[in-house]
Amino acid sequence: MGWRMLPHIIMSLRRKLIIKDSLILLSLVGVVAACLGGLLRQRAHVQASLDEYSAVRFVESANAHVVSVNTQLDEKRPDFPKLASELRAAQKDLRWYKAMLTQYNTVLPSEVSTGEQDQAKLTTQSALDSIFALIAMVDPAKSPADLAEAQNAIPAISVISTKAAETLVQLSELLRVCNVFLNKTQLASDHDLHWANVIVASIAGATALIAVSASFWQYRRIMLPLWALRHWCRSVA
């Protein structure tokens, strides 16, 4: 009877060892998968932040140009061609930013709503319209022959300053919206990092628990039967 049960005992031990090792291996694979998943998510958030920082630089540059214009308007005799050049540079920067807004559906995380993206687009367009109006105020000439009439057509400095201040308010609002985007990207990154740490820690804890349980199980279900088999072999001999 004992010899008949020996193959069954050997197969049972082999199956138990395979199950134990498979559970530990699956746990390790789970840790690696969780780490890779968290790494890929963090990489996506870092890329989104870099893209958004690149976009914000255009808004900051445009804001700096308009601030420079507003400062020069306080001088006794402003250089209107220079003001027009500054405003055109600001207009160019905002046009670049407006072009980058089309990428927001793929660049920004899902936490940034469509309404917030639409708000950024509307604010950008309003700022562009204001800058275009400022350019028309400080440089109304269409050709060199119109230069004399253009000087007379330039409105009062106070009117231009008021429009420049209005433009700065719009650009400040646009910068605020950009900072909201950056903040939400950072929050999404922190959220994903937190859950990745939780998952990795949980799987690592489960792996340790499985290893301890497997050692106890190995003693109860493998070592004890082996000792029993050894005693039986000795008794037969």
Side-chain angles (χ1 to χ4, degrees):
M1 183 68 178
W3 288 105
R4 294 177 182 177
M5 292 183 62
L6 184 58
H8 174 72
I9 293 174
I10 294 175
M11 290 300 296
S12 178
L13 292 175
R14 182 183 300 173
R15 188 180 300 110
K16 291 173 182 179
L17 289 172
I18 291 174
I19 292 174
K20 175 182 72 71
D21 293 339
S22 299
L23 288 175
I24 296 177
L25 179 61
L26 288 175
S27 300
L28 295 176
V29 170
V31 171
V32 174
C35 291
L36 288 177
L39 179 62
L40 292 176
R41 289 290 297 172
Q42 288 303 307
R43 180 183 178 184
H45 287 305
V46 169
Q47 186 60 48
S49 297
L50 291 175
D51 292 338
E52 181 57 23
Y53 275 122
S54 299
V56 170
R57 283 201 296 267
F58 286 113
V59 181
E60 291 175 342
S61 177
N63 187 72
H65 285 302
V66 178
V67 168
S68 176
V69 169
N70 198 37
T71 302
Q72 295 177 53
L73 287 172
D74 294 334
E75 299 176 357
K76 292 183 178 179
R77 298 185 63 181
D79 187 350
F80 288 103
K82 184 178 180 181
L83 296 181
S85 177
E86 292 271 11
L87 290 171
R88 287 194 180 94
Q91 186 182 48
K92 181 180 179 180
D93 288 333
L94 274 189
R95 283 175 174 171
W96 275 109
Y97 179 73
K98 184 180 179 181
M100 295 186 73
L101 284 174
T102 58
Q103 304 177 9
Y104 274 17
N105 290 331
T106 56
V107 169
L108 293 178
S110 58
E111 287 77 8
V112 178
S113 64
T114 304
E116 290 172 326
Q117 296 179 34
D118 292 339
Q119 180 187 359
K121 294 175 183 178
L122 290 174
T123 307
T124 303
Q125 187 59 50
S126 298
L128 276 172
D129 293 341
S130 297
I131 292 175
F132 181 80
L134 278 171
I135 294 174
M137 287 181 181
V138 301
D139 189 20
K142 302 302 180 183
S143 63
D146 301 327
L147 186 58
E149 295 181 1
Q151 292 295 330
N152 297 327
I154 292 177
I157 299 297
S158 60
V159 177
I160 301 176
S161 297
T162 301
K163 190 64 177 177
E166 177 186 335
T167 306
L168 285 175
V169 171
Q170 293 170 339
L171 289 174
S172 298
E173 175 62 20
L174 184 57
L175 282 173
R176 186 194 67 79
V177 174
C178 292
N179 288 329
V180 169
F181 290 167
L182 287 171
N183 184 54
K184 289 200 170 186
T185 304
Q186 182 62 44
L187 290 176
S189 176
D190 293 342
H191 179 268
D192 288 344
L193 181 61
H194 168 74
W195 280 108
N197 290 334
V198 169
I199 293 173
V200 170
S202 300
I203 297 177
T207 303
L209 182 61
I210 291 173
V212 173
S213 301
S215 298
F216 181 74
W217 172 83
Q218 182 176 353
Y219 174 78
R220 292 290 305 274
R221 297 301 180 91
I222 298 178
M223 298 306 298
L224 291 181
L226 284 176
W227 287 344
L229 180 60
R230 184 182 62 180
H231 289 308
W232 177 83
C233 291
R234 286 180 177 177
S235 64
V236 171

